[in-house]
Amino acid sequence: MQKLPAFHSPQPSPGSMSPSLPGSAHAAASGSGWMRYASPAVFYPLAGRLIPLLALAAALFAAAGLVVGLAVAPTDSQQGEVYRILFIHVAAAWMSMFLYLVMAGYAALGLIYNTRLSFMMMRALAPTGALFTFLTLWTGALWGKPTWGAWWVWDARLTSELILLFLYLGFMALQAATDDIRRADRGGAILLLAGVVNVPIIYFSVRWWSTLHQGASINLTAAPSMARIMVTAMLLMVAAFWLYSAAVALARVRGIIAEREPGVLHANAKEAR
C-alpha cells in the first residue's frame, strides 16, 4: 500500500482569532457532558432553539405578574397605589445584581480556562444588566418622590446601585475602546471581578448603615413582610425578567459568535442542508 503524504494545517498566530472550520461543530459535539456546549459551534444552534421558547415564557410570566400586581394585589394601607412600582423596581434590582454576578462568573471561567464562549457571554449580558440597573434607579426615583419627597437622595443603597451602573457602562466602554478582542475580553473580565465587591454592598447597605431605603421585602430566613399575593406578583416579575435576560443574551451572543467566528455559520448551514 502506498502511503499518502501527511498534510498539516497551518497554526494560527497567537494574536489572531482562529476561524471555526466546518468540521469543528462535529468535533465539538463529540465531547462529553456539558463541556461540549462550551464550544461556540455547538452552542450556536442550541441558543437559536431556546430563544423563542424563553421569549414566549417571559411574555407569559410578565403578563401574569402585571395582572396580579396591578389588578389583583390589594392597595397598601400606608403608601396607597404608588407601592405597585415595587413589582418592577424590586425585580429589576435583583436582576441588576444577579446579572453582574453571572458576568463575573463568566469572566472567571474565561480567565481560568480560556474559554471563548465565556468571554462572549460576558459581553452579551452587559447591556441587559445596564438596562435593569437603569430601570432600578428610574423606578426608585418615581417611588421616592411621593414617599420621601425627593427624586434622589445620596442613600447608601442608591449610591452603590449608581456605582453598579457605572461599572456596567465602564465595562461596555472598555470593550468598545480597542479592536484587540483578546485584550478587551481580559481587561473587561478583570474589571468585572474587581467590581464584584459592590454587589454585597448594595444588598447589605440597609443593614450596615442607617438609610432611608427600606429593608428586604423577602428574606430566606424569615417570613415575607408583605401579603402572599404581593410576593406572588413580585416573583412572577422576577421570573419574567430572568427569562427575558436569557432570551436577549442568547440572541446577542449568537451575533457575537457570527461576528468572531463566521465559520460556525457555514458549518451550521451545511448541517441544516
Side-chain angles (χ1 to χ4, degrees):
M1 296 293 292
Q2 182 181 3
K3 279 191 174 183
L4 297 177
F7 292 94
H8 299 280
S9 59
Q11 296 295 323
S13 61
S16 64
M17 300 297 294
S18 59
S20 297
L21 300 177
S24 62
H26 176 73
S30 62
S32 59
W34 288 98
M35 288 302 295
R36 63 195 291 265
Y37 294 107
S39 167
V42 177
F43 189 78
Y44 185 89
L46 174 64
R49 292 191 295 268
L50 289 176
I51 289 170
L53 301 177
L54 292 170
L56 176 61
L60 294 176
F61 272 95
L66 290 173
V67 169
V68 175
L70 300 180
V72 180
T75 303
D76 186 74
S77 59
Q78 296 181 342
Q79 299 186 44
E81 298 292 345
V82 72
Y83 92 96
R84 298 185 191 277
I85 299 175
L86 166 90
F87 303 119
I88 302 294
H89 176 75
V90 173
W94 286 359
M95 288 307 302
S96 70
M97 293 183 286
F98 174 72
L99 291 179
Y100 191 92
L101 292 177
V102 173
M103 289 173 61
Y106 278 122
L109 289 175
L111 291 175
I112 296 172
Y113 298 106
N114 198 29
T115 50
R116 304 189 308 278
L117 186 60
S118 297
F119 289 129
M120 294 178 190
M121 287 299 301
M122 176 185 73
R123 178 177 289 205
L125 286 165
T128 308
L131 171 65
F132 280 121
T133 307
F134 174 78
L135 185 61
T136 301
L137 295 170
W138 180 53
T139 54
L142 294 177
W143 195 3
K145 179 61 176 176
T147 55
W148 295 345
W151 297 103
W152 177 267
V153 293
W154 290 102
D155 179 89
R157 175 161 285 183
L158 272 67
T159 303
S160 53
E161 185 73 15
L162 180 62
I163 292 173
L164 183 63
L165 178 61
F166 291 155
L167 286 171
Y168 276 119
L169 297 178
F171 170 82
M172 290 188 290
L174 181 60
Q175 297 293 293
T178 177
D179 293 331
D180 189 332
I181 294 176
R182 292 187 177 184
R183 179 176 296 180
D185 285 343
R186 293 186 176 276
I190 294 171
L191 174 63
L192 287 174
L193 292 175
V196 164
V197 67
N198 188 56
V199 175
I201 292 176
I202 296 173
Y203 186 80
F204 293 108
S205 58
V206 294
R207 299 185 187 180
W208 293 344
W209 297 286
S210 176
T211 68
L212 289 174
H213 203 285
Q214 69 182 51
S217 302
I218 299 179
N219 196 316
L220 296 177
T221 60
S225 59
M226 45 198 293
R228 181 172 298 179
I229 190 66
M230 297 179 182
V231 175
T232 300
M234 186 185 303
L235 294 180
L236 286 171
M237 292 307 301
V238 171
F241 285 174
W242 185 89
L243 291 164
Y244 166 81
S245 301
V248 172
L250 290 180
R252 194 175 289 120
V253 80
R254 278 170 57 89
I256 296 174
I257 292 173
E259 178 183 356
R260 294 189 179 187
E261 304 187 12
V264 172
L265 295 180
H266 300 150
N268 282 277
K270 182 175 291 188
E271 289 182 2
R273 290 197 296 268

